[in-house]
């Protein structure tokens, strides 16, 4: 849902690092929201890196309820 995403994360690197920390705490909603934002805000290699990281975290999160809506958000961000 992304409501916990800090607004002061300006760079893509900052957002991706924050997503990693959220994932370490199993805060999947925040991690996914940060990475979906990265996909929306970038292109090229940066976009591929954010998308790949998000797909990796989907695997790690397993059947967590946050995965399904994040997959939908990723699809929207890509297309």
């Amino acid at each position: 849902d992304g409501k916990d995403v800090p607004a002061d994360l300006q760079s893509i690197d900052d957002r991706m690092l924050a997503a990693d920390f959220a994932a370490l705490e199993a805060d999947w909603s925040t991690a996914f929201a940060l990475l979906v934002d990265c996909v929306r805000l970038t292109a090229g290699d940066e976009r591929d890196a954010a998308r790949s990281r998000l797909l990796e975290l989907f695997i790690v999160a397993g059947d967590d309820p946050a995965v399904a809506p994040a997959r939908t958000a990723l699809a929207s961000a890509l297309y």
Side-chain angles (χ1 to χ4, degrees):
D1 58 25
K3 66 179 181 260
D4 297 326
V5 175
D8 62 341
L9 295 175
Q10 297 300 318
S11 80
I12 296 304
D13 289 337
D14 287 347
R15 288 172 189 254
M16 290 185 68
L17 184 60
D20 288 343
F21 280 110
L24 285 172
E25 296 176 357
D27 182 359
W28 300 117
S29 294
T30 299
F32 296 158
L34 284 162
L35 290 171
V36 168
D37 281 348
C38 288
V39 170
R40 282 191 186 114
L41 296 170
T42 58
D45 290 342
E46 281 185 320
R47 187 178 200 195
D48 286 342
R51 182 190 56 79
S52 293
R53 178 88 48 88
L54 189 51
L55 294 176
E56 290 169 3
L57 291 183
F58 287 160
I59 293 167
V60 174
D63 60 357
D64 188 277
V67 173
R71 284 188 181 276
T72 301
L74 174 59
S76 293
L78 289 170
Y79 306 103

